[in-house]
Amino acid sequence: LKRIVKLQLEPGQLISENQMAGEYGVSRSVIRTAFARLQQMGLIEIYPQRGTYVSQMDLHLIEDILVLRTAVEKEVVYEMFTSLGVEDRKALVKRLEENLVEQEKCSNEQNYFGKFPRLDTEFHKIMIGGVGRYALVDMLGDIMWHLGRWRSFDVMFASRIKELIAEHRAIVEALEQENLALTQERIALHLQTITPIKDQALAQYPSYFKLD
């Protein structure tokens, strides 16, 4: 699963039970069970007599997931301003600032496999968990792995870690300004990542994507 999400197994790549059993040192029955689960999650496709392939990325699905994730985080921001007191909000912002200090140390990472992904996830957990809404993210379940794979591609394709850190900083600055609308706007800008690179990504990596 993690190799698919990290693009170490590329979208469209042919894989086999024998290959994976050898690489992981387990029986084919174990791999068969894992393949069945990955197929259920939509991360591999099994074609009788043809083979098993890592699924291509479905940008329509990812766009839909991003809409849901954006809705969750904009609601979280609304609750931060309407449900938390000023002091609690300041404490939450302080935690975000501390997280950003650690993110800055990762600004030269070139892909999404180093320390930054943990800090990125933690940043959003601080916000969402700060108003007790992380169950909303958990409800998205397995589809979040598709979003994780897109994030791996997005960061690799455009070397975006410095940009992501800057976007996180802009969100925190809007919170510090006590500006609800601006914070929501910057959250949406941060999460809607497909449009800016879609055409170029499709042109350079056509085998990675499910075409209409």
Side-chain angles (χ1 to χ4, degrees):
L1 173 61
K2 290 183 179 178
R3 290 173 68 189
I4 292 174
V5 172
K6 290 183 176 182
L7 304 179
Q8 293 167 346
L9 295 174
E10 298 181 359
Q13 181 177 336
L14 176 67
I15 57 177
S16 71
E17 291 180 6
N18 286 335
Q19 171 197 355
M20 293 296 127
E23 290 184 13
Y24 288 101
V26 298
S27 68
R28 286 183 60 189
S29 64
V30 171
I31 297 299
R32 193 173 300 119
T33 299
F35 275 13
R37 176 68 177 126
L38 290 170
Q39 182 183 33
Q40 183 182 42
M41 295 167 68
L43 291 170
I44 67 171
E45 296 176 350
I46 301 173
Y47 300 99
Q49 312 305 320
R50 287 177 50 197
T52 299
Y53 294 82
V54 178
S55 298
Q56 294 172 307
M57 286 187 276
D58 183 342
L59 289 180
H60 293 302
L61 172 63
I62 295 165
E63 284 174 335
D64 287 344
I65 298 169
L66 285 169
V67 168
L68 288 173
R69 183 64 185 266
T70 301
V72 168
E73 297 214 21
K74 288 175 79 172
E75 173 61 22
V76 162
V77 170
Y78 177 78
E79 292 193 16
M80 286 172 63
F81 280 88
T82 58
S83 300
L84 297 183
V86 173
E87 293 306 313
D88 286 338
R89 194 156 55 248
K90 285 182 178 179
L92 191 149
V93 169
K94 185 173 184 289
R95 291 177 62 201
L96 293 172
E97 287 279 8
E98 291 168 352
N99 175 273
L100 276 170
V101 169
E102 296 303 310
Q103 286 187 41
E104 293 287 354
K105 298 176 184 178
C106 304
S107 60
N108 291 323
E109 290 182 6
Q110 296 301 307
N111 55 44
Y112 203 58
F113 312 144
K115 294 181 179 179
F116 179 74
R118 177 183 61 80
L119 295 167
D120 186 12
T121 298
E122 182 182 279
F123 181 89
H124 291 273
K125 279 189 172 181
I126 290 169
M127 293 185 63
I128 299 169
V131 294
R133 292 295 186 187
Y134 208 80
L136 292 175
V137 176
D138 290 338
M139 287 177 191
L140 296 177
D142 290 342
I143 62 172
M144 290 298 293
W145 292 109
H146 293 271
L147 189 56
R149 184 161 65 148
W150 167 256
R151 178 64 90 192
S152 294
F153 177 82
D154 176 38
V155 170
M156 173 204 74
F157 182 74
S159 300
R160 284 229 309 135
I161 288 181
K162 287 183 180 179
E163 186 177 346
L164 292 174
I165 294 170
E167 290 171 1
H168 287 158
R169 172 64 64 187
I171 291 166
V172 172
E173 288 174 351
L175 284 169
E176 289 173 333
Q177 294 168 25
E178 293 285 303
N179 191 323
L180 168 59
L182 182 61
T183 307
Q184 290 181 319
E185 178 184 316
R186 289 179 175 176
I187 283 284
L189 181 65
H190 172 61
L191 292 174
Q192 296 300 328
T193 56
I194 289 179
T195 302
I197 67 169
K198 180 177 180 179
D199 291 342
Q200 189 178 359
L202 288 171
Q204 292 189 30
Y205 291 87
S207 63
Y208 275 25
F209 300 100
K210 186 178 294 184
L211 302 177
D212 295 335

